[in-house]
Amino acid sequence: MPTFDIVSKVDAQTFDNAMNNAKKEILNRYDFNTSKSTIDHDKKTNLITVVTEDDMRLRAIEDAIISRMIKQGLDAKSLDFGKEQYASGNMIRKEISIKEGIDKETAKKIVAKIKASGLKVQASMMDDQVRVQSKNIDDLQGVILMCKKEDFGQPLQYINMRN
């Protein structure tokens, strides 16, 4: 029976390249010449920590990260911008997490949308992915097309297409 999986992943190497390019861009900008801004990327927890002096510089750093991700072919929807916190002195800290996997609520929305489509497929949630099965491969391709048109709040990839 043909199947495929719907997942949400970010390529670690491509994202690391985007982060390194964003850091270089920030360091070479004139308005960051005397800044004490830092951008740290923890690869184990998929967390980016930005510390800077003011709100304007924080927005510039966020824009640099997003633009470098887009240039590397990554979707910026995979970033979850946290709240701004005031660190020691006049510094602002912001943590940006990278969404990996499909959470339960989004998976329920995907499964409900697939069932409401009327296609003869079975969709089931498995950990942080959604598996779709059908007797007809054309129905599976219809599900992929339908999911690409919808916005579920995070980037989706379609992998492991099997006959």
mmCIF file of all heavy atoms in Angstrom, residues 25-49:
data_model
loop_
_atom_site.group_PDB
_atom_site.id
_atom_site.type_symbol
_atom_site.label_atom_id
_atom_site.label_comp_id
_atom_site.label_asym_id
_atom_site.label_seq_id
_atom_site.Cartn_x
_atom_site.Cartn_y
_atom_site.Cartn_z
ATOM 1 N N GLU A 25 27.423 39.148 8.503
ATOM 2 C CA GLU A 25 26.752 40.362 8.048
ATOM 3 C C GLU A 25 26.618 41.366 9.182
ATOM 4 O O GLU A 25 26.867 42.563 8.996
ATOM 5 C CB GLU A 25 25.373 40.011 7.496
ATOM 6 C CG GLU A 25 24.585 41.208 7.003
ATOM 7 C CD GLU A 25 23.206 40.830 6.518
ATOM 8 O OE1 GLU A 25 23.034 39.734 5.973
ATOM 9 O OE2 GLU A 25 22.287 41.658 6.690
ATOM 10 N N ILE A 26 26.244 40.910 10.356
ATOM 11 C CA ILE A 26 26.074 41.807 11.504
ATOM 12 C C ILE A 26 27.415 42.399 11.935
ATOM 13 O O ILE A 26 27.517 43.593 12.230
ATOM 14 C CB ILE A 26 25.399 41.053 12.680
ATOM 15 C CG1 ILE A 26 23.967 40.683 12.309
ATOM 16 C CG2 ILE A 26 25.440 41.853 13.961
ATOM 17 C CD1 ILE A 26 23.058 41.839 12.037
ATOM 18 N N LEU A 27 28.451 41.577 11.969
ATOM 19 C CA LEU A 27 29.762 42.075 12.393
ATOM 20 C C LEU A 27 30.329 43.114 11.435
ATOM 21 O O LEU A 27 31.082 43.999 11.846
ATOM 22 C CB LEU A 27 30.747 40.913 12.538
ATOM 23 C CG LEU A 27 30.501 39.965 13.705
ATOM 24 C CD1 LEU A 27 31.485 38.805 13.662
ATOM 25 C CD2 LEU A 27 30.615 40.702 15.023
ATOM 26 N N ASN A 28 29.978 43.026 10.151
ATOM 27 C CA ASN A 28 30.537 43.948 9.155
ATOM 28 C C ASN A 28 29.707 45.206 8.961
ATOM 29 O O ASN A 28 30.127 46.095 8.235
ATOM 30 C CB ASN A 28 30.693 43.225 7.815
ATOM 31 C CG ASN A 28 31.768 42.171 7.879
ATOM 32 O OD1 ASN A 28 32.715 42.280 8.646
ATOM 33 N ND2 ASN A 28 31.621 41.127 7.083
ATOM 34 N N ARG A 29 28.562 45.310 9.593
ATOM 35 C CA ARG A 29 27.720 46.493 9.426
ATOM 36 C C ARG A 29 28.265 47.662 10.240
ATOM 37 O O ARG A 29 28.755 47.502 11.354
ATOM 38 C CB ARG A 29 26.281 46.201 9.855
ATOM 39 C CG ARG A 29 25.542 45.394 8.826
ATOM 40 C CD ARG A 29 24.161 45.081 9.236
ATOM 41 N NE ARG A 29 23.379 46.265 9.595
ATOM 42 C CZ ARG A 29 22.063 46.271 9.658
ATOM 43 N NH1 ARG A 29 21.384 45.181 9.367
ATOM 44 N NH2 ARG A 29 21.414 47.344 10.004
ATOM 45 N N TYR A 30 28.149 48.861 9.666
ATOM 46 C CA TYR A 30 28.674 50.047 10.321
ATOM 47 C C TYR A 30 27.918 50.380 11.606
ATOM 48 O O TYR A 30 28.526 50.773 12.598
ATOM 49 C CB TYR A 30 28.620 51.243 9.361
ATOM 50 C CG TYR A 30 29.147 52.502 9.984
ATOM 51 C CD1 TYR A 30 30.510 52.682 10.150
ATOM 52 C CD2 TYR A 30 28.285 53.496 10.425
ATOM 53 C CE1 TYR A 30 31.004 53.835 10.742
ATOM 54 C CE2 TYR A 30 28.755 54.648 11.011
ATOM 55 C CZ TYR A 30 30.126 54.812 11.166
ATOM 56 O OH TYR A 30 30.607 55.943 11.756
ATOM 57 N N ASP A 31 26.603 50.216 11.616
ATOM 58 C CA ASP A 31 25.830 50.565 12.796
ATOM 59 C C ASP A 31 26.058 49.588 13.955
ATOM 60 O O ASP A 31 25.665 49.859 15.078
ATOM 61 C CB ASP A 31 24.337 50.700 12.481
ATOM 62 C CG ASP A 31 23.762 49.487 11.800
ATOM 63 O OD1 ASP A 31 24.546 48.668 11.289
ATOM 64 O OD2 ASP A 31 22.523 49.361 11.767
ATOM 65 N N PHE A 32 26.725 48.461 13.718
ATOM 66 C CA PHE A 32 27.080 47.529 14.781
ATOM 67 C C PHE A 32 28.572 47.606 15.127
ATOM 68 O O PHE A 32 29.096 46.733 15.798
ATOM 69 C CB PHE A 32 26.731 46.090 14.376
ATOM 70 C CG PHE A 32 25.276 45.778 14.492
ATOM 71 C CD1 PHE A 32 24.411 46.042 13.447
ATOM 72 C CD2 PHE A 32 24.766 45.244 15.669
ATOM 73 C CE1 PHE A 32 23.061 45.764 13.558
ATOM 74 C CE2 PHE A 32 23.417 44.965 15.779
ATOM 75 C CZ PHE A 32 22.564 45.224 14.732
ATOM 76 N N ASN A 33 29.246 48.679 14.663
ATOM 77 C CA ASN A 33 30.685 48.816 14.843
ATOM 78 C C ASN A 33 31.094 48.844 16.312
ATOM 79 O O ASN A 33 32.032 48.168 16.713
ATOM 80 C CB ASN A 33 31.161 50.085 14.124
ATOM 81 C CG ASN A 33 32.647 50.093 13.905
ATOM 82 O OD1 ASN A 33 33.306 49.092 14.142
ATOM 83 N ND2 ASN A 33 33.168 51.215 13.445
ATOM 84 N N THR A 34 30.373 49.593 17.138
ATOM 85 C CA THR A 34 30.713 49.704 18.557
ATOM 86 C C THR A 34 29.766 48.896 19.437
ATOM 87 O O THR A 34 29.746 49.064 20.645
ATOM 88 C CB THR A 34 30.657 51.181 18.990
ATOM 89 O OG1 THR A 34 29.336 51.674 18.767
ATOM 90 C CG2 THR A 34 31.679 52.006 18.223
ATOM 91 N N SER A 35 29.015 48.013 18.835
ATOM 92 C CA SER A 35 28.004 47.253 19.562
ATOM 93 C C SER A 35 28.619 46.076 20.308
ATOM 94 O O SER A 35 29.637 45.518 19.906
ATOM 95 C CB SER A 35 26.947 46.743 18.578
ATOM 96 O OG SER A 35 26.038 45.921 19.238
ATOM 97 N N LYS A 36 27.962 45.695 21.387
ATOM 98 C CA LYS A 36 28.354 44.513 22.152
ATOM 99 C C LYS A 36 27.388 43.370 21.888
ATOM 100 O O LYS A 36 27.184 42.511 22.731
ATOM 101 C CB LYS A 36 28.373 44.843 23.641
ATOM 102 C CG LYS A 36 29.355 45.915 24.025
ATOM 103 C CD LYS A 36 29.250 46.269 25.489
ATOM 104 C CE LYS A 36 30.137 47.435 25.808
ATOM 105 N NZ LYS A 36 29.908 47.932 27.166
ATOM 106 N N SER A 37 26.797 43.347 20.718
ATOM 107 C CA SER A 37 25.800 42.343 20.364
ATOM 108 C C SER A 37 26.439 40.972 20.186
ATOM 109 O O SER A 37 27.545 40.856 19.661
ATOM 110 C CB SER A 37 25.094 42.722 19.068
ATOM 111 O OG SER A 37 24.471 43.970 19.206
ATOM 112 N N THR A 38 25.706 39.947 20.633
ATOM 113 C CA THR A 38 26.167 38.577 20.451
ATOM 114 C C THR A 38 25.011 37.722 19.921
ATOM 115 O O THR A 38 23.856 37.937 20.273
ATOM 116 C CB THR A 38 26.678 37.948 21.758
ATOM 117 O OG1 THR A 38 25.617 37.948 22.712
ATOM 118 C CG2 THR A 38 27.861 38.709 22.313
ATOM 119 N N ILE A 39 25.364 36.762 19.066
ATOM 120 C CA ILE A 39 24.399 35.799 18.543
ATOM 121 C C ILE A 39 24.991 34.425 18.810
ATOM 122 O O ILE A 39 26.055 34.097 18.283
ATOM 123 C CB ILE A 39 24.175 35.970 17.031
ATOM 124 C CG1 ILE A 39 23.757 37.399 16.703
ATOM 125 C CG2 ILE A 39 23.140 34.989 16.532
ATOM 126 C CD1 ILE A 39 23.749 37.695 15.215
ATOM 127 N N ASP A 40 24.313 33.631 19.651
ATOM 128 C CA ASP A 40 24.787 32.283 19.975
ATOM 129 C C ASP A 40 23.764 31.273 19.487
ATOM 130 O O ASP A 40 22.572 31.411 19.737
ATOM 131 C CB ASP A 40 24.978 32.117 21.488
ATOM 132 C CG ASP A 40 26.086 33.003 22.028
ATOM 133 O OD1 ASP A 40 27.105 33.146 21.337
ATOM 134 O OD2 ASP A 40 25.918 33.552 23.142
ATOM 135 N N HIS A 41 24.260 30.239 18.821
ATOM 136 C CA HIS A 41 23.391 29.171 18.320
ATOM 137 C C HIS A 41 23.796 27.881 19.016
ATOM 138 O O HIS A 41 24.896 27.388 18.806
ATOM 139 C CB HIS A 41 23.526 29.049 16.804
ATOM 140 C CG HIS A 41 22.758 27.917 16.234
ATOM 141 N ND1 HIS A 41 23.239 27.122 15.244
ATOM 142 C CD2 HIS A 41 21.522 27.421 16.520
ATOM 143 C CE1 HIS A 41 22.361 26.189 14.937
ATOM 144 N NE2 HIS A 41 21.306 26.358 15.701
ATOM 145 N N ASP A 42 22.896 27.346 19.859
ATOM 146 C CA ASP A 42 23.136 26.072 20.529
ATOM 147 C C ASP A 42 22.544 24.970 19.669
ATOM 148 O O ASP A 42 21.326 24.852 19.542
ATOM 149 C CB ASP A 42 22.494 26.077 21.924
ATOM 150 C CG ASP A 42 22.864 24.857 22.733
ATOM 151 O OD1 ASP A 42 23.695 24.055 22.267
ATOM 152 O OD2 ASP A 42 22.314 24.699 23.840
ATOM 153 N N LYS A 43 23.407 24.163 19.068
ATOM 154 C CA LYS A 43 22.957 23.146 18.113
ATOM 155 C C LYS A 43 22.230 21.992 18.793
ATOM 156 O O LYS A 43 21.394 21.347 18.176
ATOM 157 C CB LYS A 43 24.150 22.627 17.319
ATOM 158 C CG LYS A 43 24.785 23.681 16.457
ATOM 159 C CD LYS A 43 26.005 23.172 15.759
ATOM 160 C CE LYS A 43 26.679 24.306 15.019
ATOM 161 N NZ LYS A 43 27.956 23.924 14.450
ATOM 162 N N LYS A 44 22.533 21.734 20.055
ATOM 163 C CA LYS A 44 21.886 20.619 20.753
ATOM 164 C C LYS A 44 20.427 20.920 21.058
ATOM 165 O O LYS A 44 19.562 20.066 20.911
ATOM 166 C CB LYS A 44 22.636 20.285 22.033
ATOM 167 C CG LYS A 44 24.007 19.692 21.790
ATOM 168 C CD LYS A 44 24.707 19.385 23.071
ATOM 169 C CE LYS A 44 26.099 18.844 22.787
ATOM 170 N NZ LYS A 44 26.873 18.677 24.002
ATOM 171 N N THR A 45 20.154 22.123 21.520
ATOM 172 C CA THR A 45 18.785 22.482 21.891
ATOM 173 C C THR A 45 18.048 23.250 20.793
ATOM 174 O O THR A 45 16.885 23.601 20.968
ATOM 175 C CB THR A 45 18.780 23.342 23.164
ATOM 176 O OG1 THR A 45 19.524 24.545 22.919
ATOM 177 C CG2 THR A 45 19.362 22.584 24.332
ATOM 178 N N ASN A 46 18.742 23.533 19.671
ATOM 179 C CA ASN A 46 18.160 24.317 18.575
ATOM 180 C C ASN A 46 17.622 25.647 19.075
ATOM 181 O O ASN A 46 16.473 26.007 18.832
ATOM 182 C CB ASN A 46 17.067 23.544 17.840
ATOM 183 C CG ASN A 46 17.630 22.660 16.766
ATOM 184 O OD1 ASN A 46 18.768 22.823 16.345
ATOM 185 N ND2 ASN A 46 16.835 21.720 16.310
ATOM 186 N N LEU A 47 18.464 26.380 19.786
ATOM 187 C CA LEU A 47 18.070 27.656 20.370
ATOM 188 C C LEU A 47 19.086 28.719 19.980
ATOM 189 O O LEU A 47 20.299 28.509 20.101
ATOM 190 C CB LEU A 47 17.991 27.530 21.892
ATOM 191 C CG LEU A 47 17.332 28.647 22.643
ATOM 192 C CD1 LEU A 47 15.836 28.680 22.340
ATOM 193 C CD2 LEU A 47 17.532 28.463 24.133
ATOM 194 N N ILE A 48 18.596 29.855 19.503
ATOM 195 C CA ILE A 48 19.438 30.996 19.172
ATOM 196 C C ILE A 48 19.222 32.040 20.256
ATOM 197 O O ILE A 48 18.080 32.402 20.560
ATOM 198 C CB ILE A 48 19.055 31.595 17.804
ATOM 199 C CG1 ILE A 48 19.118 30.535 16.720
ATOM 200 C CG2 ILE A 48 19.953 32.773 17.467
ATOM 201 C CD1 ILE A 48 18.442 30.950 15.439
ATOM 202 N N THR A 49 20.289 32.530 20.854
ATOM 203 C CA THR A 49 20.201 33.562 21.875
ATOM 204 C C THR A 49 20.846 34.830 21.337
ATOM 205 O O THR A 49 22.022 34.828 20.981
ATOM 206 C CB THR A 49 20.907 33.132 23.168
ATOM 207 O OG1 THR A 49 20.372 31.869 23.584
ATOM 208 C CG2 THR A 49 20.694 34.145 24.268
#
